[in-house]
């Protein structure tokens, strides 16, 4: 066949084809606009979600950094400064604490305060301390210290405890007041003050070094290499933050989400183009008879797609802009979310949308164009589309079920495209919804809290025993239990004890403790411990029987409850020592009352726990001993109530919590209590997360439409291309009602197939992505209610859309006119 130089003619033909076939051009234009809209909106919302995630970490951590090193030697500091992959280093030193409020005294260097912590501050008056007597505080810290009303320039006198537990009294002057996120309860001091306390950065309990990495995508292997290069001492810890520690899985998860969106768009374009080409296949055959080559036919189709791509992409981006910046915040507000969904314009998102749309459109057009170019004129004249199925649908089914099933499975490729598009959209919705529900503030708080409120007497932490107050004893528990809405009140009793030296258990424990946590060798303190065990005191903690499940959550091996309740065994807090449960199981812990060394008692070790729910007011050198309340009361030791845990009739009951707080605030002596609750934690978590839930819901709502719109567009082309077939069925006696039932069954086949595909592929993918970003260690669960609602909606759409389109498109015109049409 001779090639004709008809490039201009082809261009004019492409324009006329678009105008002459307005129906199919409109469908393709809508498909491209929808694809661009989805890409632009999802990329914008996804970028906003990542920003909100970073904002959450910033607010929770109080500063921007990638890793923190606990304790840092001079050699390690030099190594960090010489490391080209580290861009900035912030330093924090803990200098002691205020005795009255137990607030920490903290010094930070200029890099940490001016660069890392600056984004977490919302306001600041004054300046960071420079002189030894200056402090920088928040109003919250001043209130807890009983200094309400103090401002910048005011002075106050306070007793504080520094290195070695020695108490000192100092006249301080407030150099500045700030507000924001982070350690808002601390008193920030100057470098001069920190150095005068005798602490060094190498002290594990004092020194903290924060640093940022140049490379934000940090693999687990790179983290391990950096850790090994620092040659950490046994007691040192290097922790990577969420963004750096989970950066690669998070990046892969978000990339997978974008790929699914592009895949859905590809299926949409490919399917609509295939329907368009198959509907005009005879025209392409006739064009070849007059000299048009296959290459020119492809050019003819690509020129049409170029025009449609330019117009559709522009329309999609414009619609995406309206949704992202105008409608999305309103939609989020309509769902009762007060936080505004902030979506910022980013040129990178615009460029990426255009590129992805172009790649998607022309890759989706490639296969249909190839089909149009390769078919011969003879084959085109005989083309009538896909034939019927091979009769594998069982004959026991009804006629309408057999017809619907044969049509659904008669063209496996088309069926696969429809099911894949539906399944892809459902899988994305499943993934996003699961992540939103599981990583939401309420879920995280509920997972971390087993009760509704915990009240602690922090005066029991004071080194001066004469200043410890009995705030939670007496009738307070009864008064709290009498408040309407409070279902249960549990107390944790503590008593200060000592564990005298002996060559067995006590010596083994102390050697391991000094090797892990202390700078000085154990031998230098051994004689002091032998002669004065009261200098190494610890706490005995009494646990109620109802709290045993909470105690066992932190244990590797199950506890023999009968022996524990009878007072024969105890549980020790592991304190991150290298002991395993089997190393100490059955060992005898010999104890004595702190004020009466002759009052002795002992327990067998029944297990180790890593949970901190039943620690005493202060961590001692010797282990914290946890026993049952029955055994604790039987010893008749001088005790204090350290914690009270409250459980409400209804979780997150604001009315009950307000009544509890009112009772606590009515007594001035109770201002030294530390109160934490689910509601307070929920408010802090929501504030830290900012707009992240709102943006995430926006992503979920948009992506829920992907598979549905693919299906609607596919069915539209499918019904239009089957007008002749439906007319033939009507001519041989099929009623409109029977057609409706046949199409309903056909849609049900697509819906069930998509559901099964989502279950097989979407659920495992969701679990994998969930585990990759689950840094809060929330157990995996699928939110049943929203998923079932969406599945029901998709099923109704699958069975309802074909019926609507049948009467809107498929049955237009008389039977004779439709039979005479040359469709497939």
């Amino acid at each position: 066949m001779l090639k004709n130089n008809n490039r201009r003619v082809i261009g004019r033909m492409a324009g006329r084809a678009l105008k002459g076939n307005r129906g199919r051009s409109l469908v393709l234009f809508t498909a491209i606009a929808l694809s661009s809209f989805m890409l632009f909106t999802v990329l914008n919302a996804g970028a906003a979600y990542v920003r909100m995630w970073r904002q959450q970490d910033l607010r929770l951590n109080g500063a921007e950094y990638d890793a923190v090193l606990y304790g840092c030697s001079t050699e390690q500091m030099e190594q960090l400064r010489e490391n080209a992959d580290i861009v900035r280093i912030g330093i924090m030193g803990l200098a002691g604490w205020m005795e009255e409020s137990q607030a920490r005294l903290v010094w930070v260097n200029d890099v940490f305060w001016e660069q890392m912590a600056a984004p977490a501050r919302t306001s600041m008056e004054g300046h960071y301390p420079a002189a030894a007597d200056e402090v920088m505080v928040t109003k919250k810290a001043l209130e807890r210290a009983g200094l309400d009303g103090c401002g910048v320039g005011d002075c106050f006198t306070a007793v504080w405890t520094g290195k070695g537990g020695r108490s000192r009294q100092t006249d301080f002057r407030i150099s500045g007041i700030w507000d924001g996120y982070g350690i808002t309860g601390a008193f920030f001091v100057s470098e001069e003050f920190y150095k005068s306390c005798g602490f060094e950065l190498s002290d594990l309990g004092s020194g903290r070094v924060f640093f940022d990495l140049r490379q934000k995508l940090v693999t687990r292997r790179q983290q391990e290499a950096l850790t090994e290069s620092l040659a950490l001492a046994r007691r040192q810890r290097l922790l990577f933050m969420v963004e750096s520690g989970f950066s690669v899985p998070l990046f892969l998860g978000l990339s997978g989400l974008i790929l699914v969106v592009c895949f859905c768009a590809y299926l949409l374009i490919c399917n609509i183009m295939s329907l368009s080409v198959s509907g005009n296949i005879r025209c392409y055959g006739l064009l070849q008879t007059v000299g048009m080559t296959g290459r020119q036919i492809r050019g003819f189709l690509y020129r049409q797609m170029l025009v449609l791509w330019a117009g559709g992409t522009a329309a999609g981006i414009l619609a995406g802009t309206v949704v992202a910046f105008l409608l999305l915040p309103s939609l989020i507000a309509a769902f009762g979310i007060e936080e505004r969904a902030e979506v910022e314009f980013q040129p990178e998102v615009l460029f990426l949308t255009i590129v992805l749309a172009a790649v998607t459109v022309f890759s989706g057009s490639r296969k249909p164009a190839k089909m149009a170019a390769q078919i011969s004129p003879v084959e085109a004249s005989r083309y009538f589309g896909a034939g019927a199925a091979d009769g594998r649908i069982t004959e026991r089914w009804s006629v309408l079920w057999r017809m619907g099933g044969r049509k659904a499975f008669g063209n496996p490729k088309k069926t696969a495209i429809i099911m894949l598009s539906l399944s892809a959209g459902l899988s994305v919705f499943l993934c996003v919804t699961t992540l939103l529900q599981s990583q939401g503030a309420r879920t995280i708080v509920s997972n971390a809290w087993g009760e509704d409120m915990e009240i602690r007497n922090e005066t029991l932490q004071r080194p001066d025993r004469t200043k410890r107050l009995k705030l939670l004893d007496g009738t307070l528990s009864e008064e709290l239990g009498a408040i309407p809405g409070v279902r249960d009140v549990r107390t944790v009793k503590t008593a200060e004890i000592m564990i005298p030296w002996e060559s067995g258990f006590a010596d083994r424990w102390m050697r391991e403790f000094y090797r892990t946590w202390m700078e000085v060798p154990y031998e230098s303190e051994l004689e002091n411990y032998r002669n004065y065990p009261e200098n190494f005191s610890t706490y005995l903690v009494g646990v109620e029987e109802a709290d045993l499940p909470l105690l066992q959550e932190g244990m590797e091996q199950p506890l023999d409850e009968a022996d524990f309740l009878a007072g024969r065994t105890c549980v020790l807090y592991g304190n991150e020592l290298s002991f395993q449960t089997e190393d100490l199981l059955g060992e005898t812990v010999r104890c004595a009352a702190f004020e009466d060394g002759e009052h002795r008692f002992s327990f067998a070790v029944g297990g180790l726990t890593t949970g901190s729910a039943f620690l005493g007011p202060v961590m001692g050198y010797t282990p914290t001993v946890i026993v049952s309340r029955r055994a604790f009361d039987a010893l008749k030791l001088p005790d204090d109530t350290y914690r009270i845990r409250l459980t409400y009739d209804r979780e997150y009951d604001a009315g009950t919590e307000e009544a509890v707080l009112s009772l606590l605030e009515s007594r001035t002596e109770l201002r030294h209590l530390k109160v934490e609750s689910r509601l307070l934690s929920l408010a802090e978590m929501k504030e830290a997360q900012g707009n992240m839930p709102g943006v995430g819901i926006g992503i979920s709502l948009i992506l829920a439409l992907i598979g549905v719109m693919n299906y609607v567009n596919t069915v539209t082309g499918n019904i239009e291309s089957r007008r002749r077939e439906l007319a033939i069925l009507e001519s041989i006696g099929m009623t409109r009602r029977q057609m409706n039932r046949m199409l309903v069954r056909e849609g049900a086949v697509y819906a069930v197939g998509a559901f099964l595909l989502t279950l097989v592929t979407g659920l495992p993918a969701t679990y994998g992505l969930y585990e990759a970003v689950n840094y809060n260690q929330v157990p995996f669960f699928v939110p049943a209610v929203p998923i079932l609602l969406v599945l029901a909606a998709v099923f109704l759409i699958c069975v309802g859309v074909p019926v609507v389109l049948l009467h809107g498109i498929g049955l237009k015109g008389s039977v004779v006119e439709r039979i005479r049409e040359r469709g497939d």
Side-chain angles (χ1 to χ4, degrees):
M1 184 179 294
L2 298 176
K3 176 181 178 181
N4 296 326
N5 186 11
N6 50 11
R7 183 172 301 177
R8 292 184 179 178
V9 176
I10 292 173
R12 290 197 299 269
M13 289 177 62
R16 289 172 182 172
L18 289 174
K19 294 178 182 178
N21 200 343
R22 290 184 176 85
R24 292 188 185 274
S25 298
L26 181 60
V27 171
L28 283 170
F29 177 86
T30 304
I32 296 170
L34 177 64
S35 304
S36 302
F37 163 77
M38 290 188 297
L39 287 171
F40 184 75
T41 307
V42 169
L43 286 172
N44 256 320
Y49 192 79
V50 172
R51 289 197 301 273
M52 293 303 104
W53 196 323
R54 291 176 177 173
Q55 183 186 55
Q56 171 186 319
D57 291 340
L58 169 65
R59 291 178 174 181
L60 290 176
N61 298 327
E64 289 180 337
Y65 54 89
D66 293 325
V68 54
L69 176 63
Y70 285 73
C72 184
S73 65
T74 305
E75 294 78 11
Q76 289 171 332
M77 179 61 74
E78 289 298 322
Q79 188 174 353
L80 291 174
R81 287 173 176 164
E82 294 173 0
N83 192 327
D85 294 328
I86 296 176
V87 294
R88 59 182 182 179
I89 299 175
I91 299 174
M92 176 184 292
L94 306 183
W97 61 91
M98 295 287 190
E99 285 199 359
E100 180 71 13
S101 63
Q102 295 299 301
R104 289 179 292 177
L105 300 173
V106 178
W107 164 72
V108 295
N109 68 346
D110 291 340
V111 174
F112 186 92
W113 184 258
E114 299 294 342
Q115 299 180 30
M116 293 182 169
R121 289 197 298 272
T122 57
S123 66
M124 179 173 168
E125 180 185 358
H127 62 85
Y128 189 84
D133 63 342
E134 292 182 333
V135 293
M136 165 77 75
V137 292
T138 63
K139 291 182 178 180
K140 175 183 176 181
L142 290 174
E143 290 175 1
R144 291 198 61 192
L147 300 172
D148 309 45
C150 291
V152 176
D154 292 336
C155 299
F156 64 92
T157 302
V159 177
W160 58 279
T161 302
K163 190 172 184 179
R166 187 165 63 92
S167 296
R168 282 167 275 189
Q169 181 173 301
T170 302
D171 294 327
F172 291 102
R173 182 169 58 87
I174 301 174
S175 66
I177 295 178
W178 70 281
D179 196 11
Y181 304 92
I183 45 178
T184 56
F187 282 64
F188 286 90
V189 298
S190 65
E191 183 177 6
E192 181 182 350
F193 181 92
Y194 177 74
K195 290 181 178 179
S196 68
C197 296
F199 285 104
E200 296 181 358
L201 290 180
S202 57
D203 296 338
L204 186 63
S206 175
R208 308 284 187 270
V209 175
F210 307 84
F211 55 88
D212 268 343
L213 300 172
R214 189 181 306 277
Q215 181 180 352
K216 294 305 178 183
L217 292 179
V218 185
T219 65
R220 187 69 62 184
R221 181 176 297 180
Q222 290 172 322
Q223 295 176 36
E224 294 173 354
L226 179 59
T227 303
E228 291 177 3
S229 68
L230 292 174
L232 300 181
R234 179 169 181 167
R235 57 187 175 273
Q236 280 186 291
R237 299 291 185 272
L238 175 61
L239 302 178
F240 289 88
M241 297 300 102
V242 171
E243 276 191 55
S244 56
F246 293 88
S247 56
V248 173
L250 181 60
F251 174 77
L252 294 177
L254 293 175
S255 299
L257 186 62
I258 294 173
L259 287 176
V260 169
V261 175
C262 293
F263 178 66
C264 291
Y266 168 82
L267 291 178
L268 182 60
I269 299 299
C270 184
N271 196 30
I272 298 300
M273 274 293 293
S274 297
L275 291 172
S276 177
V277 168
S278 64
N280 292 289
I281 202 69
R282 292 179 182 81
C283 296
Y284 302 132
L286 291 174
L287 289 173
Q288 292 190 55
T289 63
V290 296
M292 183 176 281
T293 65
R295 182 178 180 182
Q296 289 170 335
I297 290 177
R298 285 196 296 269
F300 168 69
L301 290 173
Y302 284 144
R303 290 196 182 195
Q304 296 181 57
M305 294 309 299
L306 179 62
V307 175
L308 293 172
W309 165 76
T313 302
I317 291 176
L318 180 61
T321 302
V322 173
V323 169
F325 294 93
L326 299 178
L327 298 184
L328 182 59
S330 302
L331 185 62
I332 298 305
F335 274 78
I337 298 176
E338 297 180 0
E339 292 284 352
R340 187 172 64 88
E342 297 178 357
V343 183
E344 300 176 2
F345 174 79
Q346 293 184 338
E348 299 87 352
V349 171
L350 178 62
F351 175 76
L352 189 59
T353 300
I354 295 173
V355 172
L356 288 176
V359 172
T360 303
V361 167
F362 289 101
S363 61
S365 307
R366 183 175 176 273
K367 187 175 180 180
K370 183 179 179 182
M371 180 180 71
Q374 289 183 345
I375 194 165
S376 66
V378 176
E379 292 172 333
S381 64
R382 298 174 179 174
Y383 182 82
F384 279 92
D390 58 4
R392 284 176 288 181
I393 305 298
T394 175
E395 295 300 323
R396 288 179 295 178
W397 288 22
S398 68
V399 175
L400 295 179
W401 271 113
R402 291 203 303 271
M403 294 181 68
R406 283 173 177 169
K407 192 60 185 178
F409 294 101
N411 191 335
K413 291 184 179 179
K414 184 182 294 185
T415 301
I417 288 175
I418 294 176
M419 290 185 179
L420 277 175
S421 64
L422 278 173
S423 177
L426 288 173
S427 296
V428 172
F429 178 81
L430 171 66
C431 180
V432 174
T433 305
T434 300
L435 288 176
L436 284 176
Q437 291 283 337
S438 61
Q439 300 300 323
R442 191 180 184 97
T443 304
I444 293 174
V445 171
S446 297
N447 181 69
W449 279 78
E451 60 283 325
D452 292 283
M453 177 179 285
E454 180 178 277
I455 307 168
R456 293 197 304 271
N457 179 6
E458 293 200 330
T459 67
L460 299 180
Q461 299 175 357
R462 295 173 178 174
D464 187 348
R465 292 177 175 84
T466 62
K467 295 183 178 181
R468 298 174 183 177
L469 307 176
K470 291 182 176 294
L471 300 177
L472 299 182
D473 298 319
T475 62
L476 180 61
S477 296
E478 298 177 1
E479 294 178 15
L480 290 171
I483 294 177
V486 175
R487 184 182 66 199
D488 188 25
V489 179
R490 299 179 189 173
T491 59
V492 176
K493 294 269 190 179
T494 61
E496 193 170 10
I497 62 171
M498 54 184 176
I499 301 179
W501 181 88
E502 44 92 14
S503 59
F505 167 80
D507 188 71
R508 285 181 60 197
W509 180 276
M510 291 294 281
R511 287 185 185 277
E512 182 63 24
F513 177 85
Y514 270 79
R515 187 161 50 244
T516 302
W517 295 113
M518 303 303 292
E519 298 285 341
V520 298
Y522 172 58
E523 284 71 19
S524 65
E525 298 283 344
L526 178 57
E527 196 64 27
N528 184 21
Y529 179 36
R530 281 179 174 175
N531 297 329
Y532 306 100
E534 63 273 13
N535 293 338
F536 301 83
S537 65
T538 185
Y539 278 88
L540 183 73
V541 180
V543 178
E544 296 184 8
E545 184 175 354
D547 282 328
L548 284 184
L550 180 60
L551 174 63
Q552 299 207 60
E553 284 182 5
M555 301 179 63
E556 296 179 353
Q557 298 183 11
L559 177 67
D560 188 325
E561 295 186 8
D563 287 344
F564 182 79
L565 293 174
R568 292 187 289 270
T569 62
C570 68
V571 175
L572 305 180
Y573 177 69
N575 202 9
E576 298 187 37
L577 304 185
S578 62
F579 289 123
Q580 300 297 318
T581 301
E582 53 270 17
D583 297 335
L584 300 176
L585 197 63
E587 291 270 1
T588 300
V589 182
R590 296 177 173 84
C591 312
F594 179 77
E595 297 178 351
D596 182 7
E598 298 301 319
H599 183 184
R600 302 208 171 201
F601 45 92
S602 63
F603 305 93
V605 177
L608 294 176
T609 181
T610 58
S612 59
F614 299 102
L615 287 178
V618 179
M619 282 288 298
Y621 288 22
T622 49
T624 300
V625 182
I626 305 170
V627 298
S628 68
R629 176 63 65 84
R630 189 190 312 167
F632 183 92
D633 293 338
L635 294 172
K636 300 186 181 304
L637 298 170
D639 59 51
D640 294 285
T641 300
Y642 177 48
R643 302 173 192 248
I644 293 181
R645 290 191 175 91
L646 304 180
T647 303
Y648 304 155
D649 291 329
R650 293 183 295 108
E651 291 184 342
Y652 302 100
D653 188 341
T656 301
E657 181 136 323
E658 184 178 355
V660 172
L661 293 176
S662 297
L663 173 62
L664 297 179
E665 291 171 359
S666 65
R667 301 185 182 182
T668 56
E669 73 275 9
L670 298 183
R671 67 184 179 88
H672 299 290
L673 297 176
K674 175 68 173 178
V675 178
E676 295 179 340
S677 74
R678 281 184 174 180
L679 276 171
L680 295 174
S681 298
L682 180 63
E684 293 175 358
M685 181 61 70
K686 283 184 175 180
E687 189 175 10
Q689 289 185 340
N691 300 321
M692 188 172 69
V695 175
I697 289 177
I699 295 175
S700 181
L701 292 173
I702 293 168
L703 293 180
L705 301 175
I706 294 177
V708 172
M709 294 305 296
N710 276 328
Y711 177 74
V712 170
N713 278 277
T714 301
V715 172
T716 301
N718 194 14
I719 294 295
E720 187 175 354
S721 65
R722 292 171 61 186
R723 281 166 51 84
R724 184 169 182 265
E725 173 191 326
L726 295 172
I728 293 174
L729 291 174
E730 188 176 358
S731 68
I732 61 175
M734 178 176 279
T735 65
R736 300 274 176 104
R737 182 178 180 184
Q738 289 173 326
M739 285 186 186
N740 291 339
R741 293 169 63 187
M742 178 186 70
L743 291 176
V744 165
R745 286 158 172 76
E746 186 178 330
V749 171
Y750 291 133
V752 173
F755 295 166
L756 293 176
L757 196 58
T758 302
L759 183 64
V760 173
T761 60
L763 190 58
T766 298
Y767 179 78
L769 178 60
Y770 178 90
E771 288 299 319
V773 300
N774 184 27
Y775 63 92
N776 286 310
Q777 301 301 311
V778 178
F780 176 77
F781 71 95
V782 176
V785 174
I787 298 299
L788 291 176
L789 289 176
V790 168
L791 290 180
V794 169
F795 185 84
L796 292 175
I797 291 173
C798 285
V799 300
V801 166
V803 176
V804 174
L805 293 175
L806 172 66
H807 294 274
I809 300 175
L811 300 181
K812 280 187 176 181
S814 65
V815 174
V816 176
E817 291 173 345
R818 283 182 277 134
I819 291 177
R820 294 178 61 183
E821 290 180 358
R822 300 298 302 272
D824 65 352

